[in-house]
Amino acid sequence: QQQVKQSPQSLIVQKGGISIINCAYENTAFDYFPWYQQFPGKGPALLIAIRPDVSEKKEGRFTISFNKSAKQFSLHIMDSQPGDSATYFCAASGNQFYFGTGTSLTVIP
Amino acid sequence: DSGVTQTPKHLITATGQRVTLRCSPRSGDLSVYWYQQSLDQGLQFLIQYYNGEERAKGNILERFSAQQFPDLHSELNLSSLELGDSALYFCASSVDQFQPQHFGDGTRLSIL
């Protein structure tokens, strides 16, 4: 059973556009929701994270929107750049980490 | 550089064999996590140790085992290897269970 459902599986965005990746979870005990960015040949790197007591967190061009009642959270990448092309994983944590299946983002110049 | 060191980077072996993957966590991190990443399964949590003790167990097969040593490095042992065990194995570490995890660059295991 997939604890965290992530969509879309792949995403193609024009340079300067907005990339949006969505995740949904079921377990209301989850209390930490990070996003990871992974480049080929590298391990996932923490990008940004949020806790359920806030509805939005912004760091530079990256924003997490969190909807506790809907049990959904999303990553928005503003002004997407070719260097953002990578695989993005959402995750949720309670007593252990559960990762989404990943979204492969391609930003076209 | 995340500060998490995994060795070896690549491992090629045959079915039925046993291998050991090693992980050195970031300085100061007490928790170590092991993950398996394959193309069709994404990142699967295997097991977590905190300061030498097993803290959480995920989808880890009985053929796999792990431990964390007093110096906090960890080893993942995979035995009776099957073709389906071919994957990237990542180690991550954090200060404690509820802090962000920092990943190493993984060990790519290929079973021939």
Side-chain angles (χ1 to χ4, degrees):
Chain A
Q1 181 185 3
Q2 193 72 29
Q3 295 279 345
V4 179
K5 296 181 180 178
Q6 182 172 347
S7 63
Q9 187 174 359
S10 63
L11 183 61
I12 299 174
V13 173
Q14 292 278 355
K15 178 182 174 181
I18 302 173
S19 303
I20 301 174
I21 304 170
N22 301 299
C23 283
Y25 64 98
E26 287 297 325
N27 191 338
T28 55
F30 291 152
D31 59 3
Y32 177 66
F33 302 88
W35 285 89
Y36 285 82
Q37 179 188 56
Q38 185 179 24
F39 293 104
K42 293 291 188 180
L46 180 66
L47 192 61
I48 186 172
I50 197 168
R51 295 198 185 271
D53 53 345
V54 297
S55 60
E56 186 175 282
K57 183 174 182 179
K58 184 175 181 179
E59 290 185 3
R61 297 185 294 109
F62 301 91
T63 300
I64 299 179
S65 297
F66 187 83
N67 186 329
K68 189 174 181 178
S69 60
K71 292 184 285 186
Q72 295 175 349
F73 58 111
S74 60
L75 176 70
H76 296 235
I77 306 174
M78 312 299 287
D79 187 27
S80 298
Q81 299 296 313
D84 297 330
S85 297
T87 300
Y88 292 81
F89 293 93
C90 63
S93 170
N95 60 345
Q96 64 173 265
F97 270 74
Y98 297 93
F99 282 82
T101 50
T103 296
S104 176
L105 171 66
T106 302
V107 181
I108 301 172
Chain B
D1 182 11
S2 69
V4 178
T5 303
Q6 288 188 250
T7 57
K9 290 190 184 302
H10 303 277
L11 201 48
I12 302 174
T13 188
T15 55
Q17 295 299 304
R18 173 189 169 95
V19 297
T20 297
L21 313 184
R22 182 187 169 101
C23 170
S24 294
R26 287 190 326 160
S27 177
D29 285 357
L30 299 179
S31 254
V32 169
Y33 311 76
W34 286 97
Y35 293 87
Q36 181 190 56
Q37 186 177 41
S38 54
L39 282 175
D40 58 345
Q41 292 288 329
L43 267 169
Q44 297 290 318
F45 168 71
L46 296 177
I47 197 165
Q48 178 205 354
Y49 282 84
Y50 176 80
N51 203 21
E53 294 187 4
E54 184 183 303
R55 182 63 65 91
K57 219 168 189 176
N59 300 320
I60 188 166
L61 300 172
E62 286 190 8
R63 300 183 286 109
F64 296 1
S65 65
Q67 59 185 128
Q68 186 179 27
F69 294 88
D71 67 353
L72 300 178
H73 91 272
S74 179
E75 293 181 356
L76 178 67
N77 300 295
L78 315 177
S79 62
S80 302
L81 287 168
E82 302 174 359
L83 292 176
D85 297 329
S86 294
L88 270 167
Y89 290 85
F90 286 104
C91 169
S93 73
S94 64
V95 173
D96 63 31
Q97 183 166 328
F98 303 104
Q99 295 299 315
Q101 295 180 29
H102 300 269
F103 282 77
D105 285 339
T107 292
R108 181 175 293 280
L109 177 63
S110 299
I111 313 299
L112 303 179

